[in-house]
Amino acid sequence: MAKKDDRSNNVERLEAMVENTQENIEEARSTLDNDNLSEKEKNNIRHKNERREQSIEAFKNEIADEQGDREHGRI
């Protein structure tokens, strides 16, 4: 028997994911100040932060969808 999909806390879960990802971006930016990192390592960090920013946008879109579903009684 399939388990019912409980979406009741998705907005809160996604908001926490946005917050955690933003914290990771800030930590990575601080790491960029490390003079011991090679330029390749710094570029890898910058690219990873770009992907994190894209993830945040996707999370925010999903939050909006989930909130809309809540408001219309679909959750």
Side-chain angles (χ1 to χ4, degrees), residues 1 8 11-13 21 23-24 32-33 36 41-42 48 52 61 63-67 70 73-74:
M1 177 180 225
S8 63
V11 171
E12 294 78 12
R13 184 180 54 80
T21 304
E23 289 172 4
N24 289 339
L32 288 173
D33 294 333
N36 295 326
E41 290 170 315
K42 288 181 181 184
K48 190 162 190 173
R52 286 176 173 140
N61 289 334
I63 288 169
D65 289 345
E66 290 291 326
Q67 286 175 328
R70 274 187 185 177
R74 293 185 286 253

Side-chain angles (χ1 to χ4, degrees), residues 55-70:
S55 292
I56 287 173
E57 287 305 311
F59 293 150
K60 288 180 178 181
N61 289 334
E62 194 170 347
I63 288 169
D65 289 345
E66 290 291 326
Q67 286 175 328
D69 286 349
R70 274 187 185 177

Side-chain angles (χ1 to χ4, degrees), residues 23-33 45 49 52:
E23 289 172 4
N24 289 339
I25 289 170
E26 290 306 314
E27 287 176 23
R29 285 182 181 150
S30 295
T31 301
L32 288 173
D33 294 333
I45 291 170
N49 271 355
R52 286 176 173 140

Side-chain angles (χ1 to χ4, degrees), residues 10 27 40 44 46 49 52 75:
N10 277 5
E27 287 176 23
K40 182 178 179 178
N44 287 341
R46 288 184 193 105
N49 271 355
R52 286 176 173 140
I75 294 181

